[in-house]
Amino acid sequence: MQARQQLKYALVEYTTNKNFCNVYDAMGIERLEWEVVSYDRTRRVHLDRANAYLPILRCKLLVHHTLTGKAFEPGWKLEVFGGSVRDDGIESRLFKVECDPGADHKFARFPIRLSITIGPGKQTATGGIAPDGKPTTQLAMRFPADDWLGICLEIRDFLQQHQAQLESYRKNLQRERQEQRRKDIPAHSAAA
């Protein structure tokens, strides 16, 4: 008998006629998972999917820029590079939100564009992950300003509600690291 996979908690579920965007709780790794899926409504099938795990610090910055209005200034953008080391190689991800009303304000009613790009990656000298070649998946989705503001308000409220949990997680992690460092440091010799 197969074990049931636990459903992720979606704090945001946003749907258009071609895409949907979900934001899931991933507080256990100090992140929120963002997912964009394109689908064919008539055939009722998913066409493509991309996800990225955004650090809580970046989520808070995104919410702040939105609530202060900075995110609605044409040309504004927030880019977060990341990725994963997997058994079959390194995968890079780019999460980008930008205010782009388009040429001649073609997209003025939907000025916020969220895009997630996934492709091969390489490890940098500092331990990060950088893109290495053409992306294998690129998905973008546009939002009206009021809908984007609502999404960010939901995220803000969720993060405020879970701040104590996050701080407890961080405190425990720091305590574990400190204990490990103490174990790793050889005993100092008393001889001088």
Side-chain angles (χ1 to χ4, degrees):
M1 187 170 161
Q2 291 183 351
R4 281 187 149 187
Q5 183 179 1
Q6 185 175 354
L7 287 176
K8 298 185 253 183
Y9 170 65
L11 54 138
V12 172
E13 294 178 318
Y14 183 86
T15 306
T16 67
N17 63 349
K18 295 179 184 175
N19 298 302
F20 58 85
C21 173
N22 296 316
V23 181
Y24 297 107
D25 174 359
M27 296 289 280
I29 57 172
E30 293 189 62
R31 285 163 172 58
L32 293 181
E33 179 188 359
W34 291 71
E35 173 187 57
V36 175
V37 178
S38 63
Y39 66 92
D40 182 328
R41 199 167 66 170
T42 56
R43 295 184 323 181
R44 301 183 76 156
V45 295
H46 293 174
L47 302 174
D48 210 351
R49 175 186 178 276
N51 72 319
Y53 290 84
L54 199 61
I56 297 300
L57 183 66
R58 293 300 190 155
C59 290
K60 289 181 175 184
L61 184 60
L62 175 61
V63 167
H64 175 75
H65 283 194
T66 300
L67 298 182
T68 60
K70 185 175 179 99
F72 300 109
E73 297 172 6
W76 173 87
K77 69 180 171 181
L78 175 75
E79 292 181 316
V80 180
F81 292 88
S84 305
V85 177
R86 303 188 183 279
D87 292 338
D88 58 345
I90 299 174
E91 182 178 76
S92 74
R93 286 187 190 85
L94 170 61
F95 173 93
K96 182 164 64 169
V97 179
E98 58 191 317
C99 180
D100 174 23
D104 299 324
H105 293 285
K106 179 180 178 182
F107 301 111
R109 290 186 49 231
F110 297 86
I112 300 297
R113 182 172 56 203
L114 164 65
S115 58
I116 299 175
T117 304
I118 302 172
K122 62 182 175 185
Q123 200 121 32
T124 66
T126 59
I129 295 176
D132 187 28
K134 292 190 177 227
T136 54
T137 303
Q138 283 184 297
L139 281 175
M141 183 173 179
R142 287 190 168 273
F143 300 84
D146 284 348
D147 290 357
W148 185 255
L149 180 60
I151 288 169
C152 287
L153 285 168
E154 285 292 327
I155 292 169
R156 181 204 60 189
D157 293 349
F158 176 83
L159 292 175
Q160 285 177 340
Q161 183 70 30
H162 291 84
Q163 185 64 34
Q165 173 190 346
L166 181 61
E167 289 173 15
S168 175
Y169 170 79
R170 289 174 176 165
K171 186 182 274 185
N172 289 336
L173 190 61
Q174 288 174 11
R175 191 176 297 125
E176 289 171 12
R177 287 179 183 156
Q178 188 175 28
E179 287 299 319
Q180 188 60 46
R181 282 190 210 115
R182 285 188 183 138
K183 290 177 185 175
D184 292 344
I185 296 174
H188 295 291
S189 85

